[in-house]
Amino acid sequence: MLKVKTIDIDFGAVEVVLNHNDALEFGLNPHDRIRVKGKCGSVVAIVNTSESLVGEGEIGVFTEIAKKICVRNGHKIDYERVGKPESLGAIKKKLNGGKLSPEEIASIVRDIVSKRITLVEMSAFVSGLQAVGMDLDEAEYLTKEMVASGKTINFEAETFDKHSLGGVPGDKTTLIVVPIVAAAGLLIPKTSSRSITSPAGTADRMEVFAPVEHGINSIKKIVNKTNACMVWGGAVDLSPADDALIRVEHPLSLDPRPLLLASIMSKKKSVGSNFVVIDMPTGEGAKIKDKKQARDLARDLIEIGKRLDMTVECAVTYGAQPVGDAMGPALEAREALSTLEGNGTPSVVEKATAIAGIILEAGGVVGKGKGAEKALEILESGKALKKFREIIKAQGGNSDVCVEDIEKLLGKKKKIIKSLRAGYVTKINNKAIGNVAKTAGAPHDKGAGVLLHAKGGTRVKKGDALYTIYAEEDFKLKDAEELALKTKPVLVEGMLLEDIPPTFLGRH
Amino acid sequence: MLKVKTIDIDFGAVEVVLNHNDALEFGLNPHDRIRVKGKCGSVVAIVNTSESLVGEGEIGVFTEIAKKICVRNGHKIDYERVGKPESLGAIKKKLNGGKLSPEEIASIVRDIVSKRITLVEMSAFVSGLQAVGMDLDEAEYLTKEMVASGKTINFEAETFDKHSLGGVPGDKTTLIVVPIVAAAGLLIPKTSSRSITSPAGTADRMEVFAPVEHGINSIKKIVNKTNACMVWGGAVDLSPADDALIRVEHPLSLDPRPLLLASIMSKKKSVGSNFVVIDMPTGEGAKIKDKKQARDLARDLIEIGKRLDMTVECAVTYGAQPVGDAMGPALEAREALSTLEGNGTPSVVEKATAIAGIILEAGGVVGKGKGAEKALEILESGKALKKFREIIKAQGGNSDVCVEDIEKLLGKKKKIIKSLRAGYVTKINNKAIGNVAKTAGAPHDKGAGVLLHAKGGTRVKKGDALYTIYAEEDFKLKDAEELALKTKPVLVEGMLLEDIPPTFLGRH
């Protein structure tokens, strides 16, 4: 019997902490598993050890488990040793180059969702997918198991969706695409993620206008009323295995192809999408380097889509610099609202109408080749703006919001970064400019971010403003400025990029 | 500035815990890295978050780091964000199938030893080695970097060593081999591990006779006096990268070939061995299944040895059942002492003299083919026993120890497991019998373990004793007995193993 002491570091798995001496005495090593029995159930937990956090005879139980099995500080609980879960065998099989059966894939997904495997074991799984990969059969099973592991939503009508592979900052096109498509009469229930590595995710942007955390019933109501929604997928428990795997993919900066496929397609299948357009930002500094790589990935996405009864279309877009001028939740929200009001940055308008156009064509609103034109017409007519306000209202926001309201949210601390020379903006480094916006506080500080005053190709004079950093706190502005000076995210060069003298050849 | 709160869960990396809200506010995610500055230095630490373990404005600092940078509870410390270590790029390169350069391997080993990478990242490295492997160049660099990462010992004379790949329980041969070799005048400074998965490691067995934790100077003195030592390698910081990697290899039950090679060879190189005989227990239930697999591994061990200026010889031994009759520290110590006194179990004597013989031949004590005979002669003459007592004395133990002294250490709780039928012992399951000994308390409880009364091939009557379980505590004896009844580690069958009737063919 051990005395409970609740603890709450989040290890991502069901864990307990034993005193080092007790663990030795019981013959338990860190990472071994024990079943702990509480007042209302039992759970398999991973063993950690500590010399002082818990004393001898005590067991540290993480708050989440303590609730689940109904134990509190000071309760006495029993434990028994249990073996490793069968999914570990499947993970090892993958590392040894094997093809996983549907049952093996199911066991892995099940153990991930129920937190029966540790981050160290999940890391081995993600590493196996990176090193060995999966064929399309395995990727199909993985996707289906991920769908089965979470909740699903079904709408009675044909349902459209869009997804971006991400990697290019400032991409607020979803906020324009969804209202255009819904205004044209098609159903587009959009669930999005918050930022993982960028200055803002679609959910972070939309949250500037309205609450984004809704349950499934609420989402259905919003969609029934407006044909659309823009909500945070993380609140709905769609494909929870995917959310769990991100916890190791992100720190390892790994995104193995089979997980990329399963992640996107399981989320889309969970909301019952029939047609999905996938935006693939491509170019230097984007996730996808060139069209060849884009086509290769598109082939797999389309094939997995087919196997899941979804039609997938892929849109390869220009991703070598940010989309529009603004990065950071409030700055991007302002740019999106301006665009819907008819004052959009050209790159945002062009990208949004192109993608909305693909959906309009797929939905039979207009014929092949007429989608983008129709989307622009809906945008310019003000119908998309009207629809956007309807969605804001249905989600519980202020539908009368105007650009000035959002301006009030922008960070009061500002720093204009100027060009040190005359020339042309030859490059904007996606990652570096995104890091400046994040260092300034985005996405947590809604008013933080970066506003570009010059994009690629723009001619600038010495002393011209290149971009403004916005922050809510002085020390973050200072850190962002320092990073900006160090990493120089906006490159200005003369038309003469390099001077190669005639002696060049002789040097070799 | 954050207020320090010391914590001591051992994550295997340098970690700190921030309050969940602070982490959001600072834009830090779990697994991000920050540099924390204390009164006497700074250290890069991995971020964890908690909702209640540390409050806002507090930072949980693990005891080990707190000591290192001189901070205590309540101190205020500063932090700054830092990027991922370069070794992560190398780990990713391996996962993507690449060949690592010496510099990349060095960066990984350096970051492992300085605890700059997390268990999740180490898991990705071990997984990469499992899935992709390493060629012999990489394995050579890895071994050399592991040696360079820790301390080394140099003896002035030619140095001999032995190592067992393990996997077969009850293998106390080192306790016989080392005294025989040293009695013959050769230098054999033996560092060993404690048990990782078995009922006892060589260090656990030797500890029954004498202290095994010695520093490098103490080891040198012992060896100068006796030609030998039997100490715990973990106390000397030889190849610490290897010790760190075991922390993920063990929970994942992975032992990728390049790490196996680097682990063994780096430890041997660190103690300056010139000649190493590697014992490879082979057979059903052992780590190595057959002679083909043994030869394949031997080729790599010999080649890496060459590249590190060591002569390696491999001894493929019978590993399908335990060596000798005893498993568990005190039981094995008793069997080893009895063997040195001339009352040995035949399998222990045969294995020990065969391996000692290889070393005697390599050291030029006798000619080719005469080693085992010479080793037996030394054993039977009592010279090995005398040498063993010298080593015990030099290490600070009682050199007058007799079998009765050790018997006093055996667990008082005993259970004899009897055969339920007449027949022959056809199989002893290494893993199952080892688990019974461990469940009884071995190796932590020195007196716990299993003593076999019948080995493979022995004829038994119904009711004959098969083995006795020894434990120091009643509940452990009960648990071990239950496991024994469930897993049946000793299989008794009649000479007729299966009755195949004439109708057999017709059924197909």
Side-chain angles (χ1 to χ4, degrees):
Chain A
M1 289 295 254
L2 290 159
K3 212 172 105 191
V4 171
K5 177 172 182 177
T6 59
I7 303 184
D8 84 332
I9 306 182
D10 186 2
F11 289 104
V14 175
E15 311 234 355
V16 291
V17 183
L18 293 179
N19 182 274
H20 185 70
N21 293 334
D22 282 349
L24 267 183
E25 166 71 18
F26 304 156
L28 290 168
N29 290 311
H31 291 262
D32 279 352
R33 288 166 163 83
I34 58 175
R35 176 175 294 280
V36 287
K37 287 171 209 152
K39 306 234 174 239
C40 64
S42 72
V43 79
V44 172
I46 320 288
V47 171
N48 282 278
T49 63
S50 166
E51 281 180 18
S52 70
L53 190 63
V54 300
E56 290 187 31
E58 280 191 332
I59 182 168
V61 177
F62 289 78
T63 320
E64 198 185 331
I65 321 170
K67 261 186 223 157
K68 203 166 165 187
I69 60 170
C70 311
V71 298
R72 281 203 308 275
N73 270 328
H75 278 174
K76 299 263 184 173
I77 60 174
D78 248 338
Y79 80 92
E80 66 180 23
R81 185 190 308 261
V82 297
K84 295 185 176 177
E86 58 169 326
S87 60
L88 258 192
I91 291 172
K92 235 167 121 168
K93 183 176 171 188
K94 178 47 75 189
L95 284 172
N96 290 331
K99 174 170 175 168
L100 300 183
S101 70
E103 294 70 34
E104 286 167 330
I105 290 171
S107 78
I108 293 173
V109 172
R110 210 181 309 121
D111 285 346
I112 289 174
V113 173
S114 63
K115 302 190 173 184
R116 267 197 296 267
I117 72 176
T118 63
L119 292 180
V120 165
E121 289 156 358
M122 265 202 264
S123 170
F125 178 54
V126 169
S127 300
L129 295 189
Q130 181 76 21
V132 179
M134 272 185 161
D135 67 18
L136 283 171
D137 292 340
E138 294 172 283
E140 175 192 342
Y141 297 134
L142 181 61
T143 310
K144 286 178 174 167
E145 286 302 331
M146 281 189 174
V147 174
S149 76
K151 293 188 180 156
T152 53
I153 316 182
N154 276 302
F155 298 97
E156 309 289 289
E158 203 185 7
T159 300
F160 298 82
D161 211 338
K162 73 147 290 215
H163 179 84
S164 170
L165 295 184
V168 52
D171 196 353
K172 66 282 295 172
T173 43
T174 298
L175 267 56
I176 326 287
V177 170
V178 169
I180 294 176
V181 171
L186 301 179
L187 217 61
I188 181 164
K190 180 81 184 88
T191 60
S192 304
S193 58
R194 294 189 185 281
S195 153
I196 297 174
T197 56
S198 65
T202 293
D204 301 312
R205 296 170 188 119
M206 184 63 192
E207 206 171 28
V208 175
F209 298 105
V212 294
E213 301 196 11
H214 296 273
I216 286 184
N217 288 335
S218 170
I219 292 175
K220 281 194 158 178
K221 265 185 217 158
I222 297 163
V223 176
N224 283 337
K225 210 175 283 176
T226 68
N227 279 352
C229 67
M230 281 180 276
V231 298
W232 178 49
V236 204
D237 205 31
L238 307 168
S239 189
D242 179 46
D243 298 334
L245 284 165
I246 284 174
R247 294 187 56 145
V248 298
E249 289 181 86
H250 180 46
L252 293 172
S253 344
L254 287 179
D255 193 9
R257 172 77 67 95
L259 280 183
L260 176 81
L261 297 174
S263 168
I264 298 171
M265 301 308 285
S266 66
K267 290 265 156 89
K268 298 300 149 196
K269 186 69 192 171
S270 297
V271 295
S273 305
N274 303 104
F275 178 90
V276 186
V277 54
I278 295 176
D279 171 21
M280 303 180 139
T282 300
E284 197 194 333
K287 273 193 201 163
I288 299 176
K289 297 291 157 263
D290 53 39
K291 284 191 192 166
K292 195 190 155 297
Q293 215 186 327
R295 279 192 212 108
D296 184 44
L297 180 57
R299 195 173 295 122
D300 282 358
L301 284 162
I302 290 168
E303 173 65 25
I304 294 285
K306 242 187 219 161
R307 294 177 180 217
L308 273 87
D309 285 325
M310 285 186 276
T311 304
V312 170
E313 191 161 334
C314 293
V316 182
T317 58
Y318 179 68
Q321 67 172 350
V323 179
D325 300 328
M327 282 155 280
L331 283 162
E332 295 194 44
R334 182 178 69 168
E335 188 171 33
L337 186 56
S338 291
T339 304
L340 287 161
E341 286 180 340
N343 310 310
T345 328
S347 65
V348 177
V349 172
E350 198 182 318
K351 181 165 178 179
T353 54
I355 287 175
I358 291 172
I359 302 177
L360 298 184
E361 290 175 16
V365 174
V366 286
K368 198 73 197 152
K370 311 256 190 223
E373 195 185 316
K374 180 70 183 171
L376 187 62
E377 186 195 312
I378 295 174
L379 180 63
E380 289 180 338
S381 71
K383 282 181 198 157
L385 177 63
K386 188 165 162 270
K387 178 55 76 179
F388 186 58
R389 295 193 182 284
E390 279 174 30
I391 299 167
I392 290 174
K393 191 175 173 192
Q395 288 191 200
N398 166 25
S399 58
D400 297 328
V401 65
C402 63
V403 167
E404 290 69 34
D405 296 330
I406 296 176
E407 254 150 26
K408 281 180 205 146
L409 303 176
L410 298 184
K412 296 287 170 289
K413 323 286 179 186
K414 281 189 266 189
K415 175 77 194 182
I416 298 172
I417 305 292
K418 293 176 180 167
S419 182
L420 298 174
R421 54 171 298 177
Y424 294 83
V425 174
T426 53
K427 189 175 155 183
I428 300 183
N429 183 319
N430 280 335
K431 206 167 168 189
I433 196 82
N435 282 339
V436 170
K438 280 161 65 186
T439 304
H444 177 262
D445 300 346
K446 289 262 185 262
V450 165
L451 187 66
L452 294 168
H453 305 303
K455 296 277 301 263
T458 310
R459 182 169 186 171
V460 292
K461 296 195 297 292
K462 184 175 171 179
D464 275 2
L466 293 177
Y467 54 98
T468 302
I469 307 173
Y470 287 77
E472 295 185 1
E473 302 199 55
D474 276 321
F475 77 95
K476 292 187 187 176
L477 182 66
K478 202 174 138 272
D479 285 352
E481 191 188 338
E482 267 173 32
L483 186 69
L485 294 178
K486 208 166 70 181
T487 58
K488 296 189 182 52
V490 176
L491 190 67
V492 175
E493 295 180 297
M495 284 307 287
L496 179 67
L497 293 181
E498 197 184 353
D499 183 15
I500 301 176
T503 51
F504 179 70
L505 282 180
R507 281 190 205 149
H508 275 72
Chain B
M1 290 293 255
L2 291 160
K3 210 173 108 191
V4 171
K5 178 174 180 175
T6 57
I7 302 182
D8 85 331
I9 305 181
D10 185 3
F11 288 105
V14 175
E15 312 233 354
V16 293
V17 183
L18 293 178
N19 183 275
H20 184 70
N21 293 333
D22 282 348
L24 268 182
E25 166 72 17
F26 305 154
L28 289 169
N29 291 311
H31 291 263
D32 280 352
R33 285 167 166 82
I34 57 176
R35 176 176 293 280
V36 286
K37 288 171 209 153
K39 307 235 175 235
C40 64
S42 73
V43 79
V44 172
I46 320 288
V47 171
N48 281 278
T49 63
S50 165
E51 280 178 19
S52 69
L53 189 63
V54 300
E56 291 186 31
E58 279 190 333
I59 182 167
V61 177
F62 288 80
T63 319
E64 197 186 330
I65 320 170
K67 260 185 228 160
K68 201 167 164 185
I69 61 171
C70 310
V71 298
R72 280 203 307 274
N73 270 326
H75 279 174
K76 301 262 182 173
I77 58 174
D78 250 338
Y79 80 93
E80 67 179 22
R81 184 190 309 260
V82 297
K84 296 186 177 178
E86 60 169 325
S87 61
L88 258 191
I91 291 173
K92 238 167 118 168
K93 182 175 171 190
K94 179 46 72 189
L95 284 172
N96 290 331
K99 174 171 176 167
L100 300 184
S101 69
E103 293 72 33
E104 286 167 329
I105 290 171
S107 78
I108 293 173
V109 172
R110 211 182 308 122
D111 285 346
I112 289 174
V113 173
S114 62
K115 300 190 173 186
R116 269 197 296 268
I117 73 175
T118 63
L119 291 179
V120 164
E121 291 156 356
M122 262 200 268
S123 170
F125 178 54
V126 170
S127 299
L129 295 190
Q130 181 75 21
V132 179
M134 273 185 162
D135 67 17
L136 284 172
D137 292 340
E138 293 172 284
E140 175 192 340
Y141 298 135
L142 180 61
T143 310
K144 287 178 175 169
E145 287 301 332
M146 282 189 174
V147 174
S149 77
K151 293 189 180 155
T152 53
I153 316 183
N154 276 302
F155 298 96
E156 308 290 286
E158 202 183 8
T159 302
F160 298 82
D161 211 338
K162 72 147 293 215
H163 179 85
S164 169
L165 294 183
V168 52
D171 195 352
K172 68 281 296 172
T173 43
T174 298
L175 267 54
I176 326 288
V177 170
V178 169
I180 293 176
V181 172
L186 301 178
L187 217 61
I188 182 163
K190 179 81 184 84
T191 62
S192 304
S193 58
R194 293 187 184 281
S195 154
I196 297 174
T197 56
S198 67
T202 293
D204 301 311
R205 295 172 190 119
M206 185 61 192
E207 206 171 27
V208 174
F209 298 104
V212 294
E213 302 196 10
H214 295 274
I216 285 185
N217 288 337
S218 169
I219 291 176
K220 282 194 160 181
K221 265 186 219 158
I222 297 164
V223 176
N224 283 338
K225 209 175 284 177
T226 69
N227 277 353
C229 67
M230 281 180 276
V231 299
W232 178 48
V236 203
D237 206 32
L238 306 168
S239 189
D242 179 48
D243 298 334
L245 284 164
I246 284 174
R247 294 187 56 144
V248 298
E249 288 181 88
H250 181 46
L252 293 171
S253 346
L254 287 178
D255 193 9
R257 170 77 66 97
L259 280 183
L260 177 80
L261 297 175
S263 168
I264 299 172
M265 300 309 285
S266 66
K267 290 265 158 92
K268 297 300 148 195
K269 186 70 192 171
S270 297
V271 293
S273 305
N274 303 103
F275 177 89
V276 186
V277 55
I278 296 177
D279 170 21
M280 303 181 137
T282 300
E284 197 192 333
K287 275 192 199 161
I288 299 175
K289 297 291 157 264
D290 53 38
K291 284 192 193 166
K292 195 190 154 298
Q293 216 185 326
R295 278 190 213 110
D296 185 42
L297 181 56
R299 196 173 293 121
D300 282 359
L301 285 163
I302 290 168
E303 173 64 28
I304 294 285
K306 242 187 221 161
R307 293 176 181 219
L308 273 88
D309 286 324
M310 283 186 276
T311 304
V312 170
E313 188 160 337
C314 293
V316 182
T317 58
Y318 179 68
Q321 67 171 353
V323 179
D325 300 328
M327 282 156 280
L331 282 161
E332 296 194 43
R334 183 178 67 168
E335 190 172 30
L337 186 56
S338 291
T339 304
L340 287 162
E341 287 181 341
N343 310 309
T345 328
S347 64
V348 177
V349 172
E350 197 183 318
K351 182 167 177 179
T353 52
I355 288 175
I358 292 172
I359 302 177
L360 298 185
E361 291 175 17
V365 174
V366 285
K368 197 76 196 150
K370 312 256 188 221
E373 196 185 317
K374 179 72 185 173
L376 187 63
E377 184 194 313
I378 295 174
L379 178 64
E380 290 182 337
S381 70
K383 284 182 198 156
L385 176 64
K386 189 166 161 268
K387 178 58 74 177
F388 185 58
R389 295 194 183 281
E390 279 174 30
I391 300 169
I392 290 175
K393 191 176 173 191
Q395 289 191 199
N398 167 24
S399 58
D400 297 327
V401 65
C402 63
V403 167
E404 290 68 36
D405 297 329
I406 297 176
E407 252 150 29
K408 281 181 204 144
L409 304 175
L410 298 184
K412 297 285 169 290
K413 324 286 178 184
K414 282 189 265 187
K415 176 77 194 181
I416 297 171
I417 305 294
K418 294 176 181 167
S419 183
L420 298 173
R421 54 171 299 179
Y424 294 84
V425 173
T426 54
K427 190 175 153 182
I428 299 182
N429 184 319
N430 280 335
K431 206 169 168 186
I433 197 81
N435 282 338
V436 170
K438 279 161 64 186
T439 304
H444 177 263
D445 300 346
K446 290 263 185 263
V450 165
L451 184 66
L452 294 168
H453 305 302
K455 296 277 301 265
T458 310
R459 183 169 187 172
V460 292
K461 297 194 296 292
K462 184 174 171 181
D464 274 2
L466 293 177
Y467 53 98
T468 302
I469 307 174
Y470 287 77
E472 295 185 0
E473 300 198 56
D474 276 322
F475 77 95
K476 292 187 186 176
L477 182 68
K478 204 174 137 272
D479 285 353
E481 190 188 339
E482 268 174 30
L483 186 70
L485 294 177
K486 210 165 69 184
T487 57
K488 295 187 185 54
V490 177
L491 191 66
V492 175
E493 295 180 297
M495 283 307 288
L496 178 69
L497 292 182
E498 198 185 352
D499 183 15
I500 301 175
T503 51
F504 179 70
L505 281 178
R507 281 190 206 146
H508 275 73

